[in-house]
Amino acid sequence: MEDKDCIFCRIVKREIASKIVYENDYTLAFLDIFPISKGHTIVIPKNHYNNIEDIPERELIEVVKTVKLLAKVLHNKLNLEGYNVLQNNFKSAGQVVNHFHFHIIPRKINDSRFRLKIPREQAQEEDLDEIIKYIKN
């Protein structure tokens, strides 16, 4: 499966040059050309799926295995203090390329290149119960 207009599909077909760091039968990983930090890597399935809702589980497993492998390699080879593994779905969540993918973002303590703000205000019990009703029904 491919989308002829998808930049990541074009990278898989080698129509667009990229700095490939890893490839197997199911996945391709390359350096992000707009990196948040040095070593920022994108991992994709070779087949085209728009988001996590579309990718079959067997291919999702292969992508996650590649993410784990490369996260360990980057951590050790680049002497990282940490890394984020990020996967966005749909525009409102920050997905820019509509081809399922993960970002592995190298981090250093106190860097300011990327921040995820986690609320410090605890949710109300009734709000949590309301969400549970929607999910379980």
Side-chain angles (χ1 to χ4, degrees), residues 15-137:
E15 293 175 356
I16 296 176
S18 65
K19 301 295 183 186
I20 295 171
V21 296
Y22 181 83
E23 181 174 15
N24 64 25
D25 291 341
Y26 306 101
T27 65
L28 185 72
F30 49 91
L31 296 177
D32 195 317
I33 61 171
F34 296 104
I36 291 173
S37 58
K38 186 177 180 178
H40 180 166
T41 301
I42 296 176
V43 180
I44 65 170
K46 287 184 172 179
N47 289 323
H48 182 88
Y49 304 102
N50 287 329
N51 55 56
I52 198 166
E53 295 178 16
D54 297 338
I55 187 169
E57 285 184 20
R58 70 186 186 289
E59 288 186 66
L60 175 60
I61 289 166
E62 294 300 327
V63 174
V64 171
K65 285 166 49 177
T66 298
V67 168
K68 180 179 179 180
L69 173 90
L70 289 176
K72 290 169 86 173
V73 168
L74 291 169
H75 188 224
N76 293 325
K77 299 279 182 162
L78 298 181
N79 297 313
L80 304 179
E81 294 173 355
Y83 53 86
N84 289 99
V85 174
L86 181 66
Q87 199 281 307
N88 303 318
N89 296 281
F90 304 102
K91 187 176 184 175
S92 66
Q95 185 177 10
V96 176
V97 177
N98 288 322
H99 184 121
F100 177 78
H101 60 284
F102 279 94
H103 295 262
I104 305 171
I105 305 168
R107 300 299 303 272
K108 292 187 180 193
I109 292 174
N110 295 323
D111 66 25
S112 59
R113 300 280 300 177
F114 175 77
R115 293 207 189 271
L116 181 62
K117 293 188 179 195
I118 299 173
R120 297 294 177 212
E121 184 177 308
Q122 187 170 343
Q124 298 296 313
E125 191 75 24
E126 54 271 8
D127 293 338
L128 298 175
D129 289 340
E130 184 178 338
I131 293 168
I132 289 291
K133 280 194 270 184
Y134 283 113
I135 293 171
K136 289 189 172 185
N137 290 331

Side-chain angles (χ1 to χ4, degrees), residues 3-21:
D3 177 341
K4 64 181 174 64
D5 297 322
C6 171
I7 191 169
F8 289 175
C9 288
R10 294 183 66 205
I11 289 171
V12 169
K13 290 172 58 179
R14 307 304 200 267
E15 293 175 356
I16 296 176
S18 65
K19 301 295 183 186
I20 295 171
V21 296

